[in-house]
Structures are given as structure tokens and as C-alpha cells.
Amino acid sequence: MTFKVRGFLFLALMQAAQAAMAVTSFETVRNGFRSTEGLLLDRHGVLIHELRVIENGRRLDWVPLSEISGAALSTIIRAEDKRFYRHHGVDWLALTDAALDTMLFSKPRGASTISMQVAANLDASLRPTGRQRNVAQKWDQIGAAKALEKAWSKGQILEAYLNLATFRGELQGIGAAARALFGKSPGGLDERESLLLAVLLRGPNAKTEAAAKRACVLAKNMKLAVPCPALQTLAAALPAAPAIAPRAALAPHVARELLSARQARVQTTLDGELQAFALEALQSQLAQLAHRQVADGAVLVVDNRSGEVLAYVGNAGTGASAFYV
């Protein structure tokens, strides 16, 4: 009986997935991806200030697969879609088993492949309106995943998945998640961090204890030599409200004046080394004058011949921290 049910579901789902669907090109998706962080560069092209300029979500630049650690790639694939490189968009075995569990045992569970999740990310109509997708949405998602596999390579699908997925809170993409949660780039992620990221992909809002427990189970199932106490310690250190710390914060006033959502990358006439020196010198001077109730100050350095501003520190006093957002 079970075999007949499996066969019926397999054929029904297979027929539903044959509809041709328009697919946005990989290049369009990648080029349309925008970091929420604005970059202020000095006259030599060196980053001197990073400032959030888009309030919707928290993203960094698109990360190519070549810049993601092998540990992260292998762990996330095994956790999310272990037959990713063997199917053509749909894992029929996993999908059929999930359907049986739902119908026979009232245990709803997803079986979306990485390709299906990318398809849903690209088409809002394929995203669940509640906790679960309805049957029509699921069938449309299957068709979209199969169409995606015909248009994109496996590498492109995986790369898009890791950049479009939400990991924690408003963190979108493995670049933002790696920096906000672990203070590093995706290329430096180890097995412990990768296990936690894989868990957060399934439950971005999971509490610390739950995330640690799931990571321990995942490590055991994958036969990885990662001790559970190490995962618990790492999970406990995850920030409650993850934020992306700026890589540079030398010119807050200039950044707030010049950077915006429309103009997120600006090169200035400032000299990074001189800017850092001016900031440090002003902070030192204010510290020496604190007993005289001097709290604020400013520095402006201009090239007399060209009129170019080489350094500008608008405030290095106690109020300065308000500008390092």
C-alpha cells in the first residue's frame, strides 16, 4: 500500500512540475543585490568609514562561492539538501516521504531543496502565507525549481541560496551572518560555526539553547568530530541582537553627509592616515582639557594649493560615539 501511495504521489508531483516558467537570470539577481552598508573611501581608495544606508534588512556585498570556506559549503549542503548535486531541482524521495508523514501521521515537515528555496526567494507568490505552503504553492514551487535548474548551474543556485537566505534576525546572506555572528569573513568559517549557521537557516529565530541542541544533533548525524560542549559555548556567545560592526569608522560626519542609499560608495579627497592622526590627536587633546570642562572639538586640514580637504574630524568628544552607527 505504501509503495502504491509513493508511486501515485511521485507521478502526480512529477506531472505538476512540468509547467514552463520564466526564470530571472543569475546575473540579474546577483547584480540587483545591494549591500545595506555605504562605503566612504579616502583619496587612495582605502576604506575609512562604513555606514548603514539602507534600513530594510542587513546585507553585505554578494559573496562568490570561491570566497566561502569548504567547511561551510559542505556542512550546509549536507544539512539542507544532501542530494543537491544529484537531483534536478526536486528531491522526489524526500518530498514523497514528507507528503506521507503529513497525510498518514499528521506530521507536517518541509522537503524543499536548495533549488526550491531559491525559487521561492525569487518569487514572492511561492512563499508561504502562514507556517506551511498550500498544495498549489508547493506544486508551483516544484515547477519553478525545475525551470531554475535548466537555466542556472548548480554553482549559481548554491551561491544565490547562500546570499539570499536569512540567517538570524535581519541578517541576509552568509557575508552578513559571518561578520555579525562570528566577526569574520565567510572564507574563515570553521565546522562549529558552519553547523550553527546550518541550524539557523532552518530556524533563524531559534533560542540559544535550541540552536545549540540542534547543532549537536546535526554534528552527530553527520559524524563530525565536533564536541557538543564546544557548540554550546559558541551558541551561548551569539549576540542577542546581531549587528554588523563597521570595518572602519574614521569620518562619521563626512560619511553621514555624503553616503546615502542612492550614493553608497564615495571616494573623497581625505587622506586616511592623516584622518586617523587628526582624530587621535584631537581625542588626546580633549582628554588633557577634560578638567577644564572642554568636551568637544574639531579638526580641519586643507591643502592650501588645491583647496582639497585632507582631514576633517567634526567631533571627537563624548558625543562622537553617536555617529559610529
Side-chain angles (χ1 to χ4, degrees), residues 35 37-40 47-53 58-61 179 244-251 255 259 323-325:
S35 170
E37 314 305 301
L39 306 179
L40 190 73
L47 177 66
I48 57 174
H49 203 95
E50 192 170 30
L51 178 73
R52 183 177 187 175
V53 294
R58 209 71 195 267
R59 301 174 295 278
L60 296 181
D61 289 335
R179 193 199 295 184
I244 297 176
R247 290 172 294 175
L250 293 175
L259 295 177
F323 296 99
Y324 291 77
V325 179

Side-chain angles (χ1 to χ4, degrees), residues 97-257:
D97 285 344
L100 285 170
D101 282 348
T102 300
M103 290 193 310
L104 302 179
F105 305 107
S106 298
K107 294 180 179 179
R109 65 182 178 90
S112 294
T113 62
I114 286 175
S115 303
M116 292 169 69
Q117 293 180 63
V118 172
N121 236 317
L122 299 180
D123 186 348
S125 69
L126 300 178
R127 299 168 198 166
T129 52
R131 297 189 62 182
Q132 297 287 331
R133 291 180 178 84
N134 57 42
V135 175
Q137 280 183 314
K138 199 68 175 180
W139 286 13
D140 287 343
Q141 187 188 21
I142 290 171
K146 290 178 72 66
L148 186 68
E149 290 259 349
K150 291 180 179 179
W152 294 16
S153 69
K154 285 288 189 180
Q156 290 173 332
I157 293 171
L158 180 60
E159 187 173 304
Y161 173 67
L162 292 171
N163 280 281
L164 298 176
T166 297
F167 285 85
R168 188 74 157 180
E170 60 180 357
L171 298 177
Q172 183 182 11
I174 195 167
R179 193 199 295 184
L181 298 177
F182 307 116
K184 58 172 58 177
S185 67
L189 293 168
D190 59 25
E191 283 188 332
R192 294 179 311 145
E193 294 155 347
S194 300
L195 283 164
L196 277 174
L197 286 182
V199 165
L200 293 177
L201 279 169
R202 290 285 183 94
N205 299 316
K207 294 182 178 180
T208 298
E209 298 80 6
K213 183 177 180 180
R214 293 171 190 171
C216 290
V217 172
L218 190 57
K220 182 178 180 181
N221 292 342
M222 291 184 177
K223 296 181 172 56
L224 297 177
V226 180
C228 193
L231 290 170
Q232 293 171 332
T233 300
L234 185 62
L238 291 177
I244 297 176
R247 290 172 294 175
L250 293 175
H253 281 73
V254 180
R256 289 167 66 89
E257 181 68 26

